[in-house]
Amino acid sequence: MAPRKRIAIMTSGGDSPGMNGVVRACVRMAIHMGCDALCVYEGYEGLVRGGDYIRQMEWHDVRGWLSEGGTLIGTARCMAFFERAGRLKAAKNMVLNGIDALIICGGDGSLTGADRFREEWPSLLQELVATGELKPAQVEPYQHLNLVGLVGSIDNDLSGTDATIGCYSALSRVCEMVDYIEATATSHSRAFVIEVMGRHCGWLALMGGVATGADSIFIPEKPKRDDWREEMRALVEKHRKSGKRKTIVIIAEGAQDRHGHKITPEMVKDLLADKNGLALDTRITTLGHVQRGGTAVAYDRMLATLQGVEAVRAVLEATPETKTSFIAITENKIARKPLMEAVQETKSIAKAIEAQEFEKAMTMRDTEFYDQYTSYMMTSAVQDQTMLLPEKERMKIGFINVGAPAGGMNAAMRAGVAYCMSRGHEAVAIHNGFAGFSRHHGDTPLGAVRPFNWLEVDGWASKGGSEIGTNRELPSESGMETIANLIEFYQFDALFLIGGFEAFHAISQLREARAQYPSLCIPMTLLPATISNNVPGTEYSLGSDTCLNELVNYCDKIKQSASATRRRVFVIETQGGRSGYVATLAGLGVGATAIYTPEEGISLDMLASDVRHLKEVFANDKGQSRAGRLILVNEKASKVYKAKLIADIIREEAHDRFEARDSIPGHVQQGGVPSPMDRCRAVRLAIKCIQHLEQFGKNAHNKAKKDPNSATVIGIKGAGVVFTPMSELEEMDTDWPNRRAKAAFWLDMKETADILGGRPKHHPPE
Ligand code: ATP
């Protein structure tokens, strides 16, 4: 039999939230694949020192690690590794420990070091043999260094991937702080200049600006014009004149002007506070290390886990010919990409910035970055006259929310309205869904249909719920004829819907009724927003990230509450309608022992097998961990086996060896303040929606009638953002009785969650 492969995992460079999730995923996946898992403590320092710095890990050693911030195996900046002598020692320790493959999670520095190590590897081994440090037989099995990188960094500065592990957690801290500061800024009518991390990359400042609707941002990739002071003074003056009581400026550490001179928070403060100018009471807040702190958000836990699993697969599949790769994510797709090209491109961006080639730097960042920058500019300078369309091309666009509220709905409205204003379109709010639209007509014809007031809308970037009101009623229930007449009455040229499955159903009804009511032949598009993430045509809907964060926080707290009585299982009921997405992703993020979904259902066999597994787990737990176990069950996974009954069954079967409780977070899952990801994506997708509608132009009934793209859903699918015609989705992709898409793209994630939770394989109900 071939010896077991030994896979080592290491974290390096600056710590980032999610690194522990990486280590957990790699350790468990390696063990699951029949390999030994090792951890190298303290980054390259541990590899150079060897000995106790390299330790074999067992399955239970990484229990509870998903909920811990920083990196529990330590990280360091290691000078010795910059030198060949250090790398020689590291190579020797790799061989002595029988390490077949190395997975490194760190920033571009760590990955550069990794690639250098790989390149030199044969010569390092030769030297170790030549100097008698190792025998030829010892190095013989390790001729090729099998290495895979994972990008752990809060800056999101690596090319080739949309997100690095930890960046959304850092963004979350940034937005939390800005949200707090906004309250005090508004109270005192103050200005705040907030400095965030990012020496060569403005991602945190940019996304922070988009998510909070900041008045201005400074990023290294795109310095402002030379007259930025005059420009900013005029902008802030305009905002203040319109009645805004706060001014927020977000500045990246690496901000500079077009000539490479640093722009400091003090310089911005001096401008805002200038007694002869704006004379605002201005404060500077430097966020500093709080941005690294805390536990990882749901997205980072997902990224860490899926990428960790993919890294183990990659090292096991690698041959000596395989190019060294790192694991990336593009939109929603996890992929292996060549490591050195990404590192080189990252360095080229830094060089382009240094050489003041800013356009080049911007185009070298990923598509999302570029899109977000454009989105930010469109939403922050709404009265910028340069984008205005000629009068005859300006449209009247109705905005409507349908279904339950979801995080990001207001941010999407705000962005859509801002974009309309910059183009000269008339954005009109239809209040309280189709129910509001149809019922207010008559006595108060304009009651439910009102133009937006920008000063009000401008404050919606971070607001939860739905400011224009939402309702589940479908057009057929409100009266299709009434709706068609109202659309004609108001002379809408297009309709922008934001909502969940009801909104999807509504747009489908409107489309079908076109044959009967010509006024419905206007372009309409849906931006999916629902915590259930069950809308066909997309793998992501607004609000789902907020919901996952709420659930993950809730589960972390519940788990911790069990620390005094650690033999406890919590059965937590999640929302999600007939889609197991939320239960699965939250389960993945908290390391659930079992997840029950409507797609799989629940059988007695499953319960029996899971109870048996729990008994084993508790029997083998020698007190290594003090937290409880979690089971997540979707509210509609079974008509009979509800959270309470499952908890009762477990308790009964446990015979006092452990406890079981049920817990229902309920509407907490709809979330208070939307997550930064939901807010930022809301902005980007909403603008794309209006741009899509805009292509049809004013009065486009004839064109819209024939074009399947006149009724669409925007979605993130795999590696792209796409509009899919309703006609296609209704027929091919929709499981109407279960109100979800036919294919659940996340089923692989369920399998991963089961593997990493150590759940035994079972047979789902027939
Ligand atoms: P962060 O994004 O937080 O800065 P990073 O991984 O880029 O993370 P660095 O301090 O640049 O952090 O690198 C971490 C470690 O990687 C260094 O201390 C060093 O041990 C190793 N390393 C970096 N660059 C090289 C290199 N060119 N050659 C050899 N080793 C390197």
Side-chain angles (χ1 to χ4, degrees):
M1 224 169 75
R4 287 163 73 88
K5 279 216 169 345
R6 287 165 70 78
I7 302 178
I9 300 107
M10 178 177 111
T11 53
S12 172
D15 65 303
S16 70
M19 281 184 161
N20 291 320
V22 165
V23 176
R24 172 184 178 270
C26 291
V27 164
R28 291 198 167 177
M29 189 63 185
I31 296 173
H32 173 77
M33 299 298 282
C35 306
D36 287 336
L38 296 97
C39 279
V40 179
Y41 281 68
E42 312 300 337
Y44 288 116
E45 195 63 41
L47 210 56
V48 173
R49 292 190 186 195
D52 205 27
Y53 285 90
I54 303 174
R55 293 180 219 163
Q56 181 149 349
M57 305 291 278
E58 301 303 331
W59 186 271
H60 59 76
D61 287 334
V62 288
R63 266 216 74 213
W65 281 31
L66 276 167
S67 326
E68 302 279 346
T71 163
L72 291 163
I73 61 171
T75 182
R77 315 242 183 219
C78 169
M79 284 329 199
F81 203 75
F82 281 101
E83 309 297 331
R84 185 173 163 93
R87 295 193 291 276
L88 207 57
K89 283 188 188 155
K92 183 176 173 186
N93 285 323
M94 293 266 296
V95 173
L96 289 179
N97 281 280
I99 296 170
D100 296 289
L102 183 61
I103 298 173
I104 297 172
C105 179
D108 64 332
S110 305
L111 299 180
T112 308
D115 195 69
R116 200 161 168 195
F117 193 37
R118 184 201 53 80
E119 209 174 31
E120 272 181 359
W121 183 256
S123 77
L124 292 172
L125 293 194
Q126 267 170 15
E127 190 174 335
L128 286 167
V129 171
T131 52
E133 296 248 9
L134 292 174
K135 299 210 164 43
Q138 279 178 296
V139 303
E140 212 282 320
Y142 306 106
Q143 291 308 312
H144 166 72
L145 175 58
N146 187 356
L147 188 146
V148 166
L150 287 167
V151 203
S153 161
I154 62 159
D155 296 340
N156 200 13
D157 54 356
L158 202 92
S159 289
T161 185
D162 284 355
T164 56
I165 297 162
C167 71
Y168 274 100
S169 302
L171 179 63
S172 188
R173 304 288 109 80
V174 168
C175 292
E176 223 173 306
M177 298 304 145
V178 178
D179 289 347
Y180 293 159
I181 287 171
E182 276 191 352
T184 173
T186 309
S187 309
H188 294 270
S189 198
R190 272 186 189 142
F192 276 85
V193 184
I194 301 166
E195 188 187 76
V196 302
M197 284 187 174
R199 266 167 294 149
H200 303 292
C201 181
W203 188 85
L204 278 173
L206 168 60
M207 299 292 270
V210 174
T212 59
D215 295 75
S216 190
I217 57 167
F218 287 84
I219 59 173
E221 297 86 346
K222 189 87 185 162
K224 293 184 187 294
R225 296 191 326 222
D226 284 347
D227 61 348
W228 66 267
R229 286 188 171 81
E230 288 72 36
E231 196 186 38
M232 193 156 159
R233 194 180 296 129
L235 182 83
V236 173
E237 202 164 33
K238 195 166 75 191
H239 287 176
R240 288 281 170 166
K241 270 196 184 135
S242 71
K244 216 171 166 178
R245 285 178 55 84
K246 59 168 195 225
T247 303
I248 304 284
V249 178
I250 302 182
I251 177 164
E253 263 177 314
Q256 53 174 317
D257 66 17
R258 282 171 177 265
H259 312 285
H261 304 124
K262 192 169 167 49
I263 295 187
T264 63
E266 287 73 19
M267 288 158 77
V268 182
K269 180 188 166 182
D270 289 348
L271 169 74
L272 297 171
D274 182 5
K275 289 268 176 294
N276 300 317
L278 293 160
L280 294 172
D281 179 3
T282 308
R283 309 289 157 103
I284 293 174
T285 302
T286 305
L287 294 186
H289 281 77
V290 291
Q291 294 163 86
R292 279 194 198 281
T295 60
V297 295
Y299 181 82
D300 280 333
R301 296 183 191 200
M302 187 263 306
L303 203 59
T305 304
L306 299 183
Q307 294 196 336
V309 165
E310 183 65 12
V312 172
R313 290 205 176 106
V315 293
L316 289 178
E317 284 164 23
T319 64
E321 288 73 44
T322 313
K323 259 191 169 180
T324 303
S325 62
F326 80 105
I327 314 295
I329 184 159
T330 308
E331 300 294 358
N332 213 27
K333 196 163 172 48
I334 304 238
R336 295 174 203 172
K337 291 193 178 169
L339 172 67
M340 249 0 253
E341 280 153 40
V343 170
Q344 233 103 57
E345 198 167 312
T346 307
K347 292 198 187 333
S348 311
I349 298 183
K351 276 195 200 122
I353 295 174
E354 232 166 77
Q356 288 147 36
E357 294 168 352
F358 302 113
E359 272 315 309
K360 186 169 162 198
M362 278 305 276
T363 49
M364 285 169 85
R365 289 254 178 254
D366 55 75
T367 343
E368 190 178 3
F369 189 95
Y370 200 84
D371 268 10
Q372 290 290 9
Y373 178 76
T374 326
S375 309
Y376 176 76
M377 292 316 287
M378 282 171 185
T379 48
S380 62
V382 288
Q383 270 111 34
D384 178 2
Q385 305 286 309
T386 55
M387 280 178 50
L388 276 182
L389 287 172
E391 195 90 40
K392 61 177 188 323
E393 287 173 31
R394 298 181 189 170
M395 300 163 73
K396 183 172 183 184
I397 303 177
F399 285 51
I400 188 165
N401 280 160
V402 186
M409 273 183 163
N410 292 320
M413 286 278 160
R414 175 182 179 272
V417 171
Y419 181 76
C420 283
M421 287 169 71
S422 67
R423 303 288 276 166
H425 300 309
E426 189 183 351
V428 182
I430 302 172
H431 291 259
N432 304 319
F434 287 103
F437 194 25
S438 59
R439 281 184 210 133
H440 280 75
H441 191 60
D443 321 57
T444 48
L446 294 175
V449 178
R450 270 173 284 173
F452 287 100
N453 166 356
W454 178 247
L455 181 60
E456 200 185 308
V457 176
D458 195 18
W460 291 0
S462 51
K463 272 213 160 140
S466 159
E467 288 292 309
I468 67 164
T470 181
N471 192 290
R472 288 175 184 275
E473 202 171 277
L474 293 169
S476 61
E477 294 160 335
S478 311
M480 191 58 81
E481 192 171 339
T482 316
I483 302 292
N485 290 342
L486 285 167
I487 287 179
E488 189 161 10
F489 175 81
Y490 287 108
Q491 295 194 320
F492 286 131
D493 294 304
L495 213 52
F496 177 34
L497 292 91
I498 304 175
F501 200 87
E502 283 91 359
F504 179 80
H505 197 174
I507 205 168
S508 159
Q509 288 189 342
L510 294 173
R511 190 187 75 82
E512 280 185 8
R514 278 174 171 176
Q516 223 175 328
Y517 305 105
S519 66
L520 298 179
C521 295
I522 52 171
M524 42 186 102
T525 196
L526 167 65
L527 170 48
T530 163
I531 64 162
S532 306
N533 201 17
N534 57 347
V535 178
T538 187
E539 292 171 7
Y540 161 84
S541 54
L542 297 183
S544 57
D545 184 60
T546 303
C547 168
L548 286 175
N549 280 312
E550 292 293 339
L551 262 177
V552 161
N553 288 340
Y554 181 91
C555 290
D556 275 358
K557 282 182 195 142
I558 291 245
K559 219 170 162 180
Q560 213 175 37
S561 79
S563 55
T565 51
R566 63 176 181 273
R567 297 185 160 268
R568 185 171 282 176
V569 181
F570 286 97
V571 184
I572 296 167
E573 185 187 287
T574 73
Q575 294 187 337
R578 289 185 181 282
S579 162
Y581 174 83
V582 163
T584 300
L585 270 281
L588 190 79
V590 295
T593 309
I595 300 163
Y596 299 123
T597 64
E599 286 80 356
E600 249 186 6
I602 308 178
S603 69
L604 258 185
D605 275 357
M606 279 164 94
L607 287 174
S609 146
D610 288 332
V611 169
R612 250 193 324 273
H613 172 56
L614 279 170
K615 283 184 185 171
E616 275 168 31
V617 165
F618 281 110
N620 294 332
D621 187 350
K622 306 283 182 282
Q624 298 100 331
S625 106
R626 299 193 59 84
R629 258 85 184 172
L630 299 173
I631 289 181
L632 270 73
V633 50
N634 164 288
E635 58 188 355
K636 294 203 163 73
S638 159
K639 284 197 178 113
V640 176
Y641 302 119
K642 299 287 179 190
K644 179 161 184 321
L645 181 55
I646 297 172
D648 287 346
I649 292 172
I650 295 173
R651 194 178 319 109
E652 180 67 15
E653 290 291 319
H655 302 300
D656 292 334
R657 272 171 290 175
F658 51 93
E659 252 288 328
R661 297 275 169 91
D662 66 303
S663 184
I664 304 180
H667 281 74
V668 161
Q669 292 162 80
Q670 294 190 357
V673 179
S675 75
M677 172 181 279
D678 281 336
R679 298 193 223 169
C680 292
R681 287 192 169 167
V683 173
R684 181 175 171 226
L685 298 178
I687 291 177
K688 282 192 187 294
C689 283
I690 307 291
Q691 285 171 334
H692 176 79
L693 295 172
E694 202 176 43
Q695 285 171 13
F696 287 83
K698 200 175 165 59
N699 235 327
H701 291 67
N702 281 338
K703 189 172 167 205
K705 201 151 95 190
K706 289 181 230 129
D707 188 346
N709 280 311
S710 66
T712 51
V713 175
I714 190 172
I716 294 180
K717 271 202 215 167
V721 177
V722 289
F723 284 90
T724 318
M726 280 302 294
S727 48
E728 202 176 291
L729 292 173
E730 286 165 15
E731 209 159 293
M732 323 270 286
D733 293 350
T734 311
D735 174 353
W736 287 100
N738 286 312
R739 299 164 58 78
R740 63 187 185 217
K742 274 188 188 152
F745 71 93
W746 45 266
L747 283 185
D748 286 356
M749 299 189 205
K750 169 83 173 44
E751 204 186 315
T752 302
D754 283 349
I755 291 174
L756 300 186
R759 194 181 183 197
K761 272 228 172 288
H762 55 68
H763 301 290
E766 289 172 6

